[in-house]
């Protein structure tokens, strides 16, 4: 495999990872790289990317509904009210990744974000979106970075505001998933504007 866009069963070109499992096809075609706005929606993506750290994204994708159920749909105001009993429930929940540090970071981040103004998280994250006109479409997977100057700046900005478990690599994965950047390969059916 050259890492270039390849034809799927329907003959349309896609990023190779988008065809690696059935679960990825819809996620690749309909979600990844599409703009996401709203504090709760971005909180969900931020949390899921943090839970993915050190794991395969497919592991998180297959448990996403379990995460949504366990974390009250990732509504910041609701998660911010979670108690120690909720924390223990989460650490025993087999429908999610039961990593103590990641659960604690999610709860702490929700409590912090509940003190922010509506739209503040959205504005902060999107203020780090690079100018799409300056970025050409990657031709191969090897041309897709894991970290950029923008993701490093986003990570620093979020940490400076008190958020936890969001390093530059996690920040870049968030930027990709939420459409701040379009890393679909050249020729991919899901690439915006091409």
């Amino acid at each position: 495999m050259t890492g270039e866009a390849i034809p799927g069963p329907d003959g349309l070109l896609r990023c190779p990872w988008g065809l690696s499992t059935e679960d990825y096809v819809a996620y690749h075609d309909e979600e990844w790289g599409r703009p996401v706005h709203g504090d709760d929606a971005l909180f969900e993506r931020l949390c899921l990317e943090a839970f993915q750290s050190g794991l395969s994204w497919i592991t998180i994708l297959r448990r996403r509904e379990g995460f949504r159920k366990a974390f009250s749909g990732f509504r910041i105001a609701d998660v911010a009210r979670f108690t120690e009993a909720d924390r223990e429930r989460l650490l025993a929940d087999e429908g999610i990744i039961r990593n103590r540090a990641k659960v604690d970071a999610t709860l702490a981040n929700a409590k912090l974000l509940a003190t922010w103004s509506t739209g503040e998280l959205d504005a902060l994250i999107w203020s780090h979106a690079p100018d799409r006109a300056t970025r050409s479409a990657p031709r191969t997977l090897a041309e897709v970075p894991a970290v950029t100057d923008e993701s490093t700046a986003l990570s620093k900005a979020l940490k400076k505001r008190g958020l936890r478990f969001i390093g530059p690599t996690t920040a870049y994965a968030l930027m990709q998933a939420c459409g701040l950047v379009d890393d679909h390969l050249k020729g991919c059916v899901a690439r915006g504007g091409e």
Side-chain angles (χ1 to χ4, degrees):
M1 181 185 315
T2 63
E4 296 176 352
I6 57 174
D10 56 6
L12 298 174
L13 293 177
R14 289 182 177 81
C15 303
W17 68 265
L19 292 167
S20 60
T21 72
E22 285 186 29
D23 296 313
Y24 272 152
V25 175
Y27 178 71
H28 169 273
D29 288 3
E30 300 166 15
E31 289 186 62
W32 192 77
R34 303 281 172 104
V36 173
H37 285 281
D39 294 339
D40 290 341
L42 288 166
F43 174 62
E44 174 181 350
R45 296 339 184 273
L46 189 139
C47 294
L48 293 178
E49 293 296 346
F51 273 100
Q52 185 272 327
S53 181
L55 302 171
S56 167
W57 177 247
I58 196 68
T59 302
I60 303 305
L61 188 59
R62 289 179 175 159
R63 293 182 183 206
R64 185 165 57 171
E65 290 310 314
F67 274 105
R68 286 174 173 164
K69 182 178 176 188
F71 286 98
S72 298
F74 289 100
R75 289 180 300 278
I76 294 169
D78 292 345
V79 179
R81 289 191 294 269
F82 278 18
T83 64
E84 181 62 27
D86 290 306
R87 179 181 177 271
E88 294 306 316
R89 171 186 56 79
L90 292 166
L91 292 172
D93 190 333
E94 294 181 6
I96 67 170
I97 304 301
R98 297 172 290 171
N99 177 296
R100 187 174 309 277
K102 294 174 183 181
V103 167
D104 288 347
T106 299
L107 299 180
N109 288 346
K111 286 181 185 353
L112 176 66
L113 291 171
T115 68
W116 291 20
S117 301
T118 301
E120 195 171 348
L121 178 63
D122 188 300
L124 177 61
I125 289 173
W126 277 91
S127 72
H128 290 81
D131 180 359
R132 285 186 179 226
T134 64
R135 294 174 52 98
S136 57
R139 291 178 299 103
T140 68
L141 294 175
E143 293 178 15
V144 178
V147 174
T148 63
D149 291 344
E150 294 89 357
S151 75
T152 300
L154 174 57
S155 171
K156 286 179 181 177
L158 292 168
K159 286 180 179 180
K160 184 176 181 180
R161 297 288 305 271
L163 289 154
R164 296 167 38 187
F165 230 102
I166 181 78
T169 303
T170 300
Y172 193 67
L174 175 74
M175 294 171 79
Q176 290 174 305
C178 296
L180 280 76
V181 296
D182 186 352
D183 278 342
H184 285 285
L185 301 180
K186 186 171 181 67
C188 175
V189 66
R191 183 156 180 87
E194 291 183 19

